[in-house]
Amino acid sequence: MKVYAMIADGTEEIECLCVVDVLRRAGIDVTLTSVCGERVVSSHGIEISADAVIDDVDMSDADMIFIPGGMPGTLKLAQCDKLISAVKAALQCGKRVAAICAAPAHVLGANGLLRGKRAVCYPGHEGLMQGRVPCDERVVTDGLITTAKAMGCSLELGLEIVKLLAGEECAKTVSASVLAR
């Protein structure tokens, strides 16, 4: 399994790195992919080294593209044409996309990718989620798209992605190893 986890200056570090950590514990190949250069500074001033820069990767081999939130990182990700094209292509090819916090609204919803889908985002950003079906869940998967509300849902999101990509048993094993439940 191959996941591209997108980062930019201003990415919410826990939303990103918690999910990446959970996926790597499950043996999933994750590439931290920057839209801003080899190093980014997170929304709370933590420097993160990217594994790759978006211009140097071909995301067509992704099983999933993961988009964390954080400001202004979400806005930088939303403005990256190569990322938006990759997300649309992934969905057209039957591959998965996940987003958390403001990213479901700014990256997916603003591009019309949530029409008719149950989806969540950080409260106050719902206006950008064109045509979505509102729900109250913390983490929700509808078809190929998984969304989560906020940083506090990061571990749940990571485990949901593991379940989707590697199976229920793998997700239970990782959950137990980190005493999640």
Side-chain angles (χ1 to χ4, degrees):
M1 293 284 127
K2 176 72 173 173
V3 174
Y4 288 92
M6 306 309 300
I7 57 175
D9 287 326
T11 291
E12 207 317 313
E13 58 276 5
I14 291 176
E15 291 170 4
C16 181
L17 298 179
C18 178
V19 171
V20 169
D21 179 274
V22 169
L23 299 182
R24 287 183 175 170
R25 287 172 190 258
I28 296 170
D29 180 14
V30 181
T31 302
L32 271 172
T33 306
S34 171
V35 302
C36 296
E38 293 178 9
R39 294 185 182 273
V40 302
V41 177
S42 74
S43 60
H44 295 98
I46 298 170
E47 190 172 292
I48 302 170
S49 295
D51 298 318
V53 176
I54 195 166
D55 290 334
D56 298 335
V57 296
D58 174 4
M59 289 190 278
S60 66
D61 67 341
D63 294 291
M64 175 179 275
I65 297 173
F66 165 57
I67 309 159
M71 288 297 181
T74 296
L75 301 177
K76 291 176 182 178
L77 294 171
Q79 294 166 356
C80 178
D81 292 335
K82 187 167 183 179
L83 172 59
I84 301 307
S85 294
V87 167
K88 289 177 179 179
L91 292 170
Q92 288 174 347
C93 291
K95 298 186 178 180
R96 297 187 171 279
V97 173
I100 185 170
C101 199
H106 290 270
V107 179
L108 304 179
N111 285 289
L113 300 174
L114 297 176
R115 285 191 173 90
K117 301 282 185 191
R118 293 172 53 245
V120 294
C121 68
Y122 191 81
H125 294 264
E126 298 89 351
L128 293 173
M129 297 174 74
Q130 305 167 15
R132 72 132 182 166
V133 177
C135 63
D136 261 345
E137 298 169 57
R138 292 169 51 89
V139 176
V140 61
T141 296
D142 189 340
L144 298 172
I145 298 176
T146 301
T147 55
K149 279 191 176 179
M151 187 265 301
C153 307
S154 299
L155 183 57
E156 292 167 63
L157 176 60
L159 292 169
E160 174 72 2
I161 294 170
V162 170
K163 182 176 84 172
L164 293 167
L165 296 179
E168 181 89 32
E169 286 306 310
C170 186
K172 285 180 182 177
T173 299
V174 173
S175 179
S177 76
V178 298
L179 304 178
R181 299 176 201 195

